[in-house]
Amino acid sequence: MNNHRFLGTHSLAALAGVVAALLLLAGCGGGSEALIEETTTTTGGSFTSTITTTLSDPPTCKGLLAPADNQFEEVWVTVTRVRAHTSSTAGPNGAGWVDLVDLRANPLQIDLLDAPALQCALATLGSSTGLPAGDYQQIRLHLLSNNPGPTEATPSPNACAGTGGFNCVKPVLSNMEILLLNSQDLNGIKIPPGRIVGGAISLAAGQTADINIEFNACDSIILQGNGQFRLKPALTAGEVSVTTDTISGRVVSTVDGNPLPGIPTILVLFEQEDADGVDRVLVQTLANATDGTFNVCPLPEGNYDVVIAAIDGNGVTYNATITFDVPTGTDLGDIGLEPESSIDTSPGVIEGQVTSEDAGGGVEIDVSLSALQEATRSGAPTPTPVTIPLFGDSTDEITTLDDPSCPTGTFCANYTLNVPASNPRVGTFDTLGTTYTAPATGDILYSVNARAFNGGEPNCTDSSITVDNDSAANPLKVVAGAANAVTAEAIAFTGCTAVTTE
């Protein structure tokens, strides 16, 4: 799967979307709801008016035009509940949780790739009234287990009938197959502050709001070694506005100002800095292959760093173009991408290995990988590590496994990241016209970040590791062409908790 090749999201509609996404990821083992205490409360001095939760998901992996390793016709999940809490550290069974949506009596089954034409939201999950006012820093999305308990309601009809479950996928030109859920998701798929735009959803007394959950299905499906598909969380949430929830634009070549030739793959990422100062992807999409246009909604209100890269129909790669600090409600107009100027216009290749272990030896974990380049926004004293779009058959979503080739006492997995073999073109948004600096000459330096999370929860002692050297301890320098692939230093996760399925 390609973690940074697709995207989508917005206000309480955005929070609704986030809740839907969480619900999708949270479903698992038999009798799942029986494990969740009835801790929903409405105590407090002031309350909101109506809060509506929606779910969104741009279908960037749908059909034969999607990247070859990531093609699906349908992705079905069954949502049962969306909960929120004002504490980012509250456990799933503690007090203080409130229901944004409760569908346990009538679970909602949704095809995440069935985006309605000309609509931002994929589905409205539901509404609630009278929530305690406050800053909600955590959301949990619950999905129906594929093996529900005898008292749990199930959808009828069941789109996954014949697979043995209630969550399923249909790969292109193949049959419907069950979508396994991680056992940790029984308590709900967690959306922490780092995945909530602005860090929290602030609800005031008497407020009516829309919350959207962005469920990135295309980055949430792992093909396991046994040929089965498994769901892992890739959710974002935020409050959205129905009038200013869009960022749009048109991607063109800097050579002639025209759309890229042939049938290009144009990757558009919407990012914000996290607590570590790294630009992380919150939403992603593919621009239209015919005219280069994109229009992403609903996006929670705020400023985004828009990062675009492409391969055109002739196989020519283009530098990443970064536009910092773009506010929602903006039409960026034409955004130029510069074709690689080297003789070899193919992507650069970064290879590497990830290992994982606990105190007793190797354990299986899921790992998401990102390729980072540094760029400086106007007025900033230091550069920001920015997530760069990945091309082709990048393996940025991996699962470590027991293999004889792994270092002793570990599980491991190898990865490949196909990246622009050039430095980025950079500008900071200006209402009077954004000025871009040309790609810097000299070495093309990258770093690689790996993150290990299960059900939205970190599951290693240090669950985010960044390396910026190659295997010989030199700076991680990229040159175009597979023959020039560079091997990054090994990434070792320790103190990990194994991923298990229901």
Side-chain angles (χ1 to χ4, degrees), residues 8-10 12-25 52-58 75 77-79 82 101 108-116 119-126 141 143 191 211-217 234-237 240 297-298:
T9 349
H10 239 101
L12 279 193
L15 186 45
V18 173
V19 170
L22 290 172
L23 288 176
L24 292 174
L25 292 173
T52 299
T53 299
T54 60
L55 179 67
S56 64
D57 178 32
V75 177
V77 294
T78 302
V79 178
V82 180
V101 178
L108 180 60
Q109 199 166 50
I110 303 169
D111 178 5
L112 295 176
L113 302 187
D114 188 24
Q119 291 186 28
C120 292
L122 172 64
T124 297
L125 299 181
L141 176 69
L143 299 181
I191 301 177
I211 295 171
N212 187 68
I213 296 174
E214 173 72 17
F215 197 118
N216 193 342
L235 306 175
T236 302
V240 296
C297 69

Side-chain angles (χ1 to χ4, degrees), residues 33-84:
E33 294 302 332
L35 301 179
I36 301 170
E37 299 176 10
E38 293 300 325
T39 55
T40 298
T41 177
T42 55
T43 59
S46 58
F47 302 91
T48 66
S49 185
T50 302
I51 305 300
T52 299
T53 299
T54 60
L55 179 67
S56 64
D57 178 32
T60 51
C61 57
K62 183 172 183 175
L64 291 171
L65 292 181
D69 64 333
N70 204 12
Q71 296 176 342
F72 297 96
E73 293 179 1
E74 302 171 35
V75 177
W76 290 91
V77 294
T78 302
V79 178
T80 60
R81 199 179 189 187
V82 180
R83 299 188 298 159

Side-chain angles (χ1 to χ4, degrees), residues 320-331:
T321 290
I322 301 170
T323 311
F324 285 115
D325 300 334
V326 180
T328 49
T330 296
D331 181 353

Side-chain angles (χ1 to χ4, degrees), residues 393-433:
D393 296 325
S394 295
T395 53
D396 52 326
E397 299 291 340
I398 60 175
T399 299
T400 59
L401 299 171
D402 187 9
D403 188 275
S405 66
C406 298
T408 302
T410 72
F411 283 14
C412 68
N414 297 325
Y415 66 86
T416 299
L417 307 179
N418 298 307
V419 298
S422 54
N423 288 310
R425 183 171 180 261
V426 181
T428 299
F429 177 75
D430 188 326
T431 55
L432 299 179

Side-chain angles (χ1 to χ4, degrees), residues 3 20 30 35 166 183 207 209 219-220 285 298 334 336 347 353 366 371 417 419 443 474 477 496 502:
N3 195 16
L35 301 179
F166 297 93
S183 59
Q207 179 182 2
D219 276 349
S220 298
T285 193
D334 286 354
Q353 185 178 77
D366 292 336
L417 307 179
V419 298
D443 291 344
N474 299 312
K477 182 169 62 174
C496 300
E502 61 169 337

Side-chain angles (χ1 to χ4, degrees), residues 448-494:
V448 174
N449 175 257
R451 293 191 294 172
F453 287 85
N454 185 14
E457 306 275 4
N459 63 326
C460 296
T461 300
D462 184 353
S463 290
S464 179
I465 299 175
T466 298
V467 297
D468 56 9
N469 290 327
D470 63 21
S471 56
N474 299 312
L476 192 58
K477 182 169 62 174
V478 167
V479 178
N484 300 313
V486 58
T487 301
E489 61 185 301
I491 298 173
F493 287 102
T494 60

